[in-house]
PDB file of all heavy atoms in Angstrom:
ATOM      1  N   LEU R  25       0.866  -1.201  -0.006  1.00  0.00           N
ATOM      2  CA  LEU R  25       0.023   0.035  -0.013  1.00  0.00           C
ATOM      3  C   LEU R  25       0.871   1.239  -0.004  1.00  0.00           C
ATOM      4  O   LEU R  25       1.903   1.334   0.727  1.00  0.00           O
ATOM      5  CB  LEU R  25      -0.898   0.012   1.221  1.00  0.00           C
ATOM      6  CG  LEU R  25      -1.892  -1.116   1.330  1.00  0.00           C
ATOM      7  CD1 LEU R  25      -2.676  -1.084   2.636  1.00  0.00           C
ATOM      8  CD2 LEU R  25      -2.861  -1.072   0.189  1.00  0.00           C
ATOM      9  N   VAL R  26       0.511   2.230  -0.808  1.00  0.00           N
ATOM     10  CA  VAL R  26       1.252   3.486  -1.000  1.00  0.00           C
ATOM     11  C   VAL R  26       0.284   4.645  -0.789  1.00  0.00           C
ATOM     12  O   VAL R  26      -0.913   4.494  -0.995  1.00  0.00           O
ATOM     13  CB  VAL R  26       1.983   3.549  -2.332  1.00  0.00           C
ATOM     14  CG1 VAL R  26       3.067   2.442  -2.355  1.00  0.00           C
ATOM     15  CG2 VAL R  26       1.033   3.487  -3.478  1.00  0.00           C
ATOM     16  N   PRO R  27       0.735   5.832  -0.475  1.00  0.00           N
ATOM     17  CA  PRO R  27      -0.053   6.991  -0.326  1.00  0.00           C
ATOM     18  C   PRO R  27      -0.701   7.295  -1.710  1.00  0.00           C
ATOM     19  O   PRO R  27      -0.034   7.299  -2.721  1.00  0.00           O
ATOM     20  CB  PRO R  27       0.823   8.096   0.082  1.00  0.00           C
ATOM     21  CG  PRO R  27       2.013   7.454   0.679  1.00  0.00           C
ATOM     22  CD  PRO R  27       2.152   6.122  -0.031  1.00  0.00           C
ATOM     23  N   GLY R  28      -2.047   7.513  -1.773  1.00  0.00           N
ATOM     24  CA  GLY R  28      -2.617   7.933  -2.957  1.00  0.00           C
ATOM     25  C   GLY R  28      -2.263   9.308  -3.416  1.00  0.00           C
ATOM     26  O   GLY R  28      -1.756  10.144  -2.570  1.00  0.00           O
ATOM     27  N   ARG R  29      -2.501   9.711  -4.653  1.00  0.00           N
ATOM     28  CA  ARG R  29      -2.082  11.081  -5.088  1.00  0.00           C
ATOM     29  C   ARG R  29      -3.241  11.975  -5.328  1.00  0.00           C
ATOM     30  O   ARG R  29      -3.085  13.175  -5.515  1.00  0.00           O
ATOM     31  CB  ARG R  29      -1.344  10.872  -6.443  1.00  0.00           C
ATOM     32  CG  ARG R  29      -0.096  10.026  -6.289  1.00  0.00           C
ATOM     33  CD  ARG R  29       0.758  10.008  -7.505  1.00  0.00           C
ATOM     34  NE  ARG R  29      -0.060   9.681  -8.662  1.00  0.00           N
ATOM     35  CZ  ARG R  29       0.475   9.410  -9.854  1.00  0.00           C
ATOM     36  NH1 ARG R  29       1.801   9.409 -10.045  1.00  0.00           N
ATOM     37  NH2 ARG R  29      -0.286   9.124 -10.903  1.00  0.00           N
ATOM     38  N   SER R  30      -4.506  11.481  -5.172  1.00  0.00           N
ATOM     39  CA  SER R  30      -5.592  12.458  -5.453  1.00  0.00           C
ATOM     40  C   SER R  30      -6.362  12.718  -4.178  1.00  0.00           C
ATOM     41  O   SER R  30      -6.190  12.126  -3.107  1.00  0.00           O
ATOM     42  CB  SER R  30      -6.643  11.700  -6.401  1.00  0.00           C
ATOM     43  OG  SER R  30      -7.263  10.611  -5.871  1.00  0.00           O
ATOM     44  N   SER R  31      -7.220  13.818  -4.296  1.00  0.00           N
ATOM     45  CA  SER R  31      -8.010  14.093  -3.069  1.00  0.00           C
ATOM     46  C   SER R  31      -9.058  13.047  -2.800  1.00  0.00           C
ATOM     47  O   SER R  31      -9.395  12.813  -1.635  1.00  0.00           O
ATOM     48  CB  SER R  31      -8.677  15.481  -3.337  1.00  0.00           C
ATOM     49  OG  SER R  31      -9.516  15.397  -4.447  1.00  0.00           O
ATOM     50  N   ALA R  32      -9.493  12.322  -3.856  1.00  0.00           N
ATOM     51  CA  ALA R  32     -10.465  11.289  -3.617  1.00  0.00           C
ATOM     52  C   ALA R  32      -9.778  10.119  -2.774  1.00  0.00           C
ATOM     53  O   ALA R  32     -10.460   9.494  -1.891  1.00  0.00           O
ATOM     54  CB  ALA R  32     -10.943  10.677  -4.942  1.00  0.00           C
ATOM     55  N   ASP R  33      -8.517   9.868  -3.026  1.00  0.00           N
ATOM     56  CA  ASP R  33      -7.814   8.838  -2.284  1.00  0.00           C
ATOM     57  C   ASP R  33      -7.725   9.232  -0.752  1.00  0.00           C
ATOM     58  O   ASP R  33      -7.948   8.484   0.133  1.00  0.00           O
ATOM     59  CB  ASP R  33      -6.401   8.658  -2.865  1.00  0.00           C
ATOM     60  CG  ASP R  33      -6.311   7.985  -4.196  1.00  0.00           C
ATOM     61  OD1 ASP R  33      -7.396   7.289  -4.500  1.00  0.00           O
ATOM     62  OD2 ASP R  33      -5.386   8.230  -4.874  1.00  0.00           O
ATOM     63  N   ALA R  34      -7.469  10.494  -0.520  1.00  0.00           N
ATOM     64  CA  ALA R  34      -7.351  11.008   0.752  1.00  0.00           C
ATOM     65  C   ALA R  34      -8.680  11.000   1.478  1.00  0.00           C
ATOM     66  O   ALA R  34      -8.815  10.720   2.682  1.00  0.00           O
ATOM     67  CB  ALA R  34      -6.782  12.400   0.806  1.00  0.00           C
ATOM     68  N   ALA R  35      -9.805  11.315   0.706  1.00  0.00           N
ATOM     69  CA  ALA R  35     -11.096  11.279   1.343  1.00  0.00           C
ATOM     70  C   ALA R  35     -11.644   9.951   1.624  1.00  0.00           C
ATOM     71  O   ALA R  35     -12.571   9.692   2.466  1.00  0.00           O
ATOM     72  CB  ALA R  35     -12.116  11.983   0.383  1.00  0.00           C
ATOM     73  N   ARG R  36     -11.119   8.928   1.093  1.00  0.00           N
ATOM     74  CA  ARG R  36     -11.521   7.511   1.246  1.00  0.00           C
ATOM     75  C   ARG R  36     -11.193   7.024   2.685  1.00  0.00           C
ATOM     76  O   ARG R  36     -11.744   6.061   3.119  1.00  0.00           O
ATOM     77  CB  ARG R  36     -10.883   6.647   0.180  1.00  0.00           C
ATOM     78  CG  ARG R  36     -11.574   5.373   0.007  1.00  0.00           C
ATOM     79  CD  ARG R  36     -10.929   4.532  -1.171  1.00  0.00           C
ATOM     80  NE  ARG R  36     -10.889   5.317  -2.385  1.00  0.00           N
ATOM     81  CZ  ARG R  36      -9.808   5.275  -3.247  1.00  0.00           C
ATOM     82  NH1 ARG R  36      -8.839   4.456  -2.984  1.00  0.00           N
ATOM     83  NH2 ARG R  36      -9.877   5.919  -4.333  1.00  0.00           N
ATOM     84  N   GLY R  37     -10.300   7.678   3.341  1.00  0.00           N
ATOM     85  CA  GLY R  37      -9.925   7.282   4.687  1.00  0.00           C
ATOM     86  C   GLY R  37      -8.670   6.287   4.635  1.00  0.00           C
ATOM     87  O   GLY R  37      -7.999   6.196   3.580  1.00  0.00           O
ATOM     88  N   GLU R  38      -8.427   5.626   5.665  1.00  0.00           N
ATOM     89  CA  GLU R  38      -7.332   4.795   5.871  1.00  0.00           C
ATOM     90  C   GLU R  38      -6.028   5.435   5.516  1.00  0.00           C
ATOM     91  O   GLU R  38      -5.151   4.783   4.905  1.00  0.00           O
ATOM     92  CB  GLU R  38      -7.490   3.446   5.083  1.00  0.00           C
ATOM     93  CG  GLU R  38      -8.783   2.710   5.513  1.00  0.00           C
ATOM     94  CD  GLU R  38      -8.983   1.424   4.709  1.00  0.00           C
ATOM     95  OE1 GLU R  38      -8.048   1.042   4.035  1.00  0.00           O
ATOM     96  OE2 GLU R  38     -10.005   0.788   4.847  1.00  0.00           O
ATOM     97  N   GLY R  39      -5.912   6.705   5.818  1.00  0.00           N
ATOM     98  CA  GLY R  39      -4.643   7.455   5.499  1.00  0.00           C
ATOM     99  C   GLY R  39      -4.435   7.748   4.038  1.00  0.00           C
ATOM    100  O   GLY R  39      -3.338   8.066   3.610  1.00  0.00           O
ATOM    101  N   GLY R  40      -5.482   7.535   3.183  1.00  0.00           N
ATOM    102  CA  GLY R  40      -5.365   7.748   1.758  1.00  0.00           C
ATOM    103  C   GLY R  40      -4.477   6.719   1.095  1.00  0.00           C
ATOM    104  O   GLY R  40      -3.857   6.974  -0.012  1.00  0.00           O
ATOM    105  N   LEU R  41      -4.397   5.460   1.664  1.00  0.00           N
ATOM    106  CA  LEU R  41      -3.443   4.505   1.077  1.00  0.00           C
ATOM    107  C   LEU R  41      -4.249   3.794  -0.037  1.00  0.00           C
ATOM    108  O   LEU R  41      -5.398   3.488   0.059  1.00  0.00           O
ATOM    109  CB  LEU R  41      -3.071   3.476   2.086  1.00  0.00           C
ATOM    110  CG  LEU R  41      -2.181   3.998   3.214  1.00  0.00           C
ATOM    111  CD1 LEU R  41      -1.864   2.901   4.253  1.00  0.00           C
ATOM    112  CD2 LEU R  41      -0.874   4.578   2.615  1.00  0.00           C
ATOM    113  N   VAL R  42      -3.459   3.456  -1.145  1.00  0.00           N
ATOM    114  CA  VAL R  42      -4.039   2.745  -2.261  1.00  0.00           C
ATOM    115  C   VAL R  42      -3.050   1.520  -2.572  1.00  0.00           C
ATOM    116  O   VAL R  42      -1.939   1.553  -2.142  1.00  0.00           O
ATOM    117  CB  VAL R  42      -4.171   3.642  -3.537  1.00  0.00           C
ATOM    118  CG1 VAL R  42      -5.228   4.762  -3.210  1.00  0.00           C
ATOM    119  CG2 VAL R  42      -2.941   4.190  -4.002  1.00  0.00           C
ATOM    120  N   LYS R  43      -3.592   0.597  -3.350  1.00  0.00           N
ATOM    121  CA  LYS R  43      -2.662  -0.499  -3.724  1.00  0.00           C
ATOM    122  C   LYS R  43      -1.508  -0.036  -4.607  1.00  0.00           C
ATOM    123  O   LYS R  43      -1.742   0.762  -5.542  1.00  0.00           O
ATOM    124  CB  LYS R  43      -3.475  -1.557  -4.500  1.00  0.00           C
ATOM    125  CG  LYS R  43      -2.744  -2.759  -4.871  1.00  0.00           C
ATOM    126  CD  LYS R  43      -3.540  -3.944  -5.326  1.00  0.00           C
ATOM    127  CE  LYS R  43      -4.358  -3.661  -6.626  1.00  0.00           C
ATOM    128  NZ  LYS R  43      -4.963  -4.827  -7.221  1.00  0.00           N
ATOM    129  N   ASN R  44      -0.361  -0.449  -4.278  1.00  0.00           N
ATOM    130  CA  ASN R  44       0.839  -0.049  -4.969  1.00  0.00           C
ATOM    131  C   ASN R  44       0.655  -0.613  -6.513  1.00  0.00           C
ATOM    132  O   ASN R  44       0.410  -1.824  -6.628  1.00  0.00           O
ATOM    133  CB  ASN R  44       2.074  -0.703  -4.346  1.00  0.00           C
ATOM    134  CG  ASN R  44       3.440  -0.312  -5.034  1.00  0.00           C
ATOM    135  OD1 ASN R  44       3.463   0.092  -6.089  1.00  0.00           O
ATOM    136  ND2 ASN R  44       4.461  -0.452  -4.196  1.00  0.00           N
ATOM    137  N   PRO R  45       0.806   0.216  -7.472  1.00  0.00           N
ATOM    138  CA  PRO R  45       0.706  -0.211  -8.869  1.00  0.00           C
ATOM    139  C   PRO R  45       1.707  -1.346  -9.270  1.00  0.00           C
ATOM    140  O   PRO R  45       1.456  -2.074 -10.187  1.00  0.00           O
ATOM    141  CB  PRO R  45       0.957   1.047  -9.672  1.00  0.00           C
ATOM    142  CG  PRO R  45       0.824   2.171  -8.779  1.00  0.00           C
ATOM    143  CD  PRO R  45       1.030   1.707  -7.285  1.00  0.00           C
ATOM    144  N   SER R  46       2.778  -1.409  -8.429  1.00  0.00           N
ATOM    145  CA  SER R  46       3.715  -2.479  -8.789  1.00  0.00           C
ATOM    146  C   SER R  46       3.158  -3.858  -8.488  1.00  0.00           C
ATOM    147  O   SER R  46       3.698  -4.826  -8.999  1.00  0.00           O
ATOM    148  CB  SER R  46       4.969  -2.251  -7.947  1.00  0.00           C
ATOM    149  OG  SER R  46       5.723  -1.137  -8.442  1.00  0.00           O
ATOM    150  N   VAL R  47       2.048  -3.972  -7.641  1.00  0.00           N
ATOM    151  CA  VAL R  47       1.466  -5.253  -7.368  1.00  0.00           C
ATOM    152  C   VAL R  47       0.856  -5.832  -8.670  1.00  0.00           C
ATOM    153  O   VAL R  47       1.084  -6.916  -9.042  1.00  0.00           O
ATOM    154  CB  VAL R  47       0.381  -5.096  -6.265  1.00  0.00           C
ATOM    155  CG1 VAL R  47      -0.410  -6.442  -6.118  1.00  0.00           C
ATOM    156  CG2 VAL R  47       1.050  -4.790  -4.939  1.00  0.00           C
ATOM    157  N   ALA R  48       0.123  -4.918  -9.388  1.00  0.00           N
ATOM    158  CA  ALA R  48      -0.451  -5.323 -10.638  1.00  0.00           C
ATOM    159  C   ALA R  48       0.650  -5.579 -11.715  1.00  0.00           C
ATOM    160  O   ALA R  48       0.566  -6.633 -12.488  1.00  0.00           O
ATOM    161  CB  ALA R  48      -1.364  -4.308 -11.203  1.00  0.00           C
ATOM    162  N   ALA R  49       1.665  -4.827 -11.672  1.00  0.00           N
ATOM    163  CA  ALA R  49       2.746  -4.912 -12.664  1.00  0.00           C
ATOM    164  C   ALA R  49       3.528  -6.346 -12.348  1.00  0.00           C
ATOM    165  O   ALA R  49       3.846  -7.029 -13.330  1.00  0.00           O
ATOM    166  CB  ALA R  49       3.785  -3.865 -12.552  1.00  0.00           C
ATOM    167  N   MET R  50       3.670  -6.688 -11.079  1.00  0.00           N
ATOM    168  CA  MET R  50       4.300  -7.880 -10.777  1.00  0.00           C
ATOM    169  C   MET R  50       3.491  -9.108 -11.110  1.00  0.00           C
ATOM    170  O   MET R  50       4.010 -10.099 -11.687  1.00  0.00           O
ATOM    171  CB  MET R  50       4.633  -7.948  -9.218  1.00  0.00           C
ATOM    172  CG  MET R  50       5.538  -9.083  -8.858  1.00  0.00           C
ATOM    173  SD  MET R  50       6.180  -8.933  -7.198  1.00  0.00           S
ATOM    174  CE  MET R  50       4.965  -9.881  -6.352  1.00  0.00           C
ATOM    175  N   ARG R  51       2.137  -8.939 -10.996  1.00  0.00           N
ATOM    176  CA  ARG R  51       1.237 -10.078 -11.349  1.00  0.00           C
ATOM    177  C   ARG R  51       1.300 -10.289 -12.872  1.00  0.00           C
ATOM    178  O   ARG R  51       1.404 -11.412 -13.308  1.00  0.00           O
ATOM    179  CB  ARG R  51      -0.176  -9.727 -10.842  1.00  0.00           C
ATOM    180  CG  ARG R  51      -1.206 -10.839 -11.277  1.00  0.00           C
ATOM    181  CD  ARG R  51      -2.571 -10.414 -11.045  1.00  0.00           C
ATOM    182  NE  ARG R  51      -2.935  -9.309 -11.903  1.00  0.00           N
ATOM    183  CZ  ARG R  51      -3.424  -8.121 -11.438  1.00  0.00           C
ATOM    184  NH1 ARG R  51      -3.588  -7.954 -10.190  1.00  0.00           N
ATOM    185  NH2 ARG R  51      -3.710  -7.172 -12.299  1.00  0.00           N
ATOM    186  N   ASP R  52       1.191  -9.162 -13.622  1.00  0.00           N
ATOM    187  CA  ASP R  52       1.273  -9.291 -15.090  1.00  0.00           C
ATOM    188  C   ASP R  52       2.590  -9.899 -15.553  1.00  0.00           C
ATOM    189  O   ASP R  52       2.642 -10.802 -16.442  1.00  0.00           O
ATOM    190  CB  ASP R  52       1.082  -7.941 -15.711  1.00  0.00           C
ATOM    191  CG  ASP R  52      -0.339  -7.403 -15.528  1.00  0.00           C
ATOM    192  OD1 ASP R  52      -1.261  -8.167 -15.060  1.00  0.00           O
ATOM    193  OD2 ASP R  52      -0.520  -6.142 -15.702  1.00  0.00           O
ATOM    194  N   ALA R  53       3.672  -9.409 -14.946  1.00  0.00           N
ATOM    195  CA  ALA R  53       5.012  -9.878 -15.338  1.00  0.00           C
ATOM    196  C   ALA R  53       5.192 -11.434 -15.009  1.00  0.00           C
ATOM    197  O   ALA R  53       5.734 -12.188 -15.773  1.00  0.00           O
ATOM    198  CB  ALA R  53       6.145  -9.087 -14.640  1.00  0.00           C
ATOM    199  N   SER R  54       4.647 -11.820 -13.822  1.00  0.00           N
ATOM    200  CA  SER R  54       4.772 -13.270 -13.461  1.00  0.00           C
ATOM    201  C   SER R  54       4.020 -14.078 -14.467  1.00  0.00           C
ATOM    202  O   SER R  54       4.434 -15.237 -14.823  1.00  0.00           O
ATOM    203  CB  SER R  54       4.390 -13.434 -12.053  1.00  0.00           C
ATOM    204  OG  SER R  54       2.944 -13.284 -11.852  1.00  0.00           O
ATOM    205  N   GLN R  55       2.794 -13.641 -14.941  1.00  0.00           N
ATOM    206  CA  GLN R  55       2.037 -14.480 -15.908  1.00  0.00           C
ATOM    207  C   GLN R  55       2.848 -14.486 -17.197  1.00  0.00           C
ATOM    208  O   GLN R  55       2.877 -15.647 -17.794  1.00  0.00           O
ATOM    209  CB  GLN R  55       0.679 -13.785 -16.153  1.00  0.00           C
ATOM    210  CG  GLN R  55      -0.269 -13.916 -14.957  1.00  0.00           C
ATOM    211  CD  GLN R  55      -1.501 -13.139 -15.124  1.00  0.00           C
ATOM    212  OE1 GLN R  55      -1.613 -12.256 -15.907  1.00  0.00           O
ATOM    213  NE2 GLN R  55      -2.543 -13.445 -14.284  1.00  0.00           N
ATOM    214  N   GLN R  56       3.394 -13.463 -17.692  1.00  0.00           N
ATOM    215  CA  GLN R  56       4.190 -13.483 -18.954  1.00  0.00           C
ATOM    216  C   GLN R  56       5.383 -14.302 -18.765  1.00  0.00           C
ATOM    217  O   GLN R  56       5.782 -15.093 -19.707  1.00  0.00           O
ATOM    218  CB  GLN R  56       4.502 -12.023 -19.306  1.00  0.00           C
ATOM    219  CG  GLN R  56       3.380 -11.290 -19.931  1.00  0.00           C
ATOM    220  CD  GLN R  56       2.919 -11.859 -21.158  1.00  0.00           C
ATOM    221  OE1 GLN R  56       3.661 -12.246 -22.083  1.00  0.00           O
ATOM    222  NE2 GLN R  56       1.591 -11.989 -21.328  1.00  0.00           N
ATOM    223  N   LEU R  57       6.128 -14.191 -17.620  1.00  0.00           N
ATOM    224  CA  LEU R  57       7.272 -14.956 -17.375  1.00  0.00           C
ATOM    225  C   LEU R  57       6.955 -16.429 -17.394  1.00  0.00           C
ATOM    226  O   LEU R  57       7.712 -17.244 -17.966  1.00  0.00           O
ATOM    227  CB  LEU R  57       7.855 -14.546 -16.057  1.00  0.00           C
ATOM    228  CG  LEU R  57       9.314 -14.984 -15.732  1.00  0.00           C
ATOM    229  CD1 LEU R  57      10.254 -14.449 -16.800  1.00  0.00           C
ATOM    230  CD2 LEU R  57       9.735 -14.457 -14.384  1.00  0.00           C
ATOM    231  N   ARG R  58       5.857 -16.806 -16.713  1.00  0.00           N
ATOM    232  CA  ARG R  58       5.476 -18.263 -16.725  1.00  0.00           C
ATOM    233  C   ARG R  58       5.174 -18.724 -18.166  1.00  0.00           C
ATOM    234  O   ARG R  58       5.567 -19.816 -18.493  1.00  0.00           O
ATOM    235  CB  ARG R  58       4.238 -18.404 -15.826  1.00  0.00           C
ATOM    236  CG  ARG R  58       3.979 -19.750 -15.341  1.00  0.00           C
ATOM    237  CD  ARG R  58       2.861 -19.814 -14.175  1.00  0.00           C
ATOM    238  NE  ARG R  58       1.843 -18.871 -14.416  1.00  0.00           N
ATOM    239  CZ  ARG R  58       1.598 -17.938 -13.412  1.00  0.00           C
ATOM    240  NH1 ARG R  58       2.321 -17.870 -12.361  1.00  0.00           N
ATOM    241  NH2 ARG R  58       0.625 -17.146 -13.557  1.00  0.00           N
TER     242      ARG R  58
END
């Protein structure tokens, strides 16, 4: 989880944390690698 960059992320609560985009990048890379 990383800090969000938009005001909507901050308004969502939980400290404005969002899923790190690298999680999706790692999932996609692991599928291609496999």
Side-chain angles (χ1 to χ4, degrees):
L25 297 175
V26 296
R29 298 186 310 189
S30 70
S31 57
D33 293 335
R36 201 175 305 140
E38 298 180 14
L41 296 176
V42 297
K43 184 168 61 171
N44 186 337
S46 291
V47 171
M50 190 168 93
R51 181 189 61 236
D52 294 345
S54 69
Q55 289 173 344
Q56 286 295 316
L57 194 58
R58 202 168 30 243

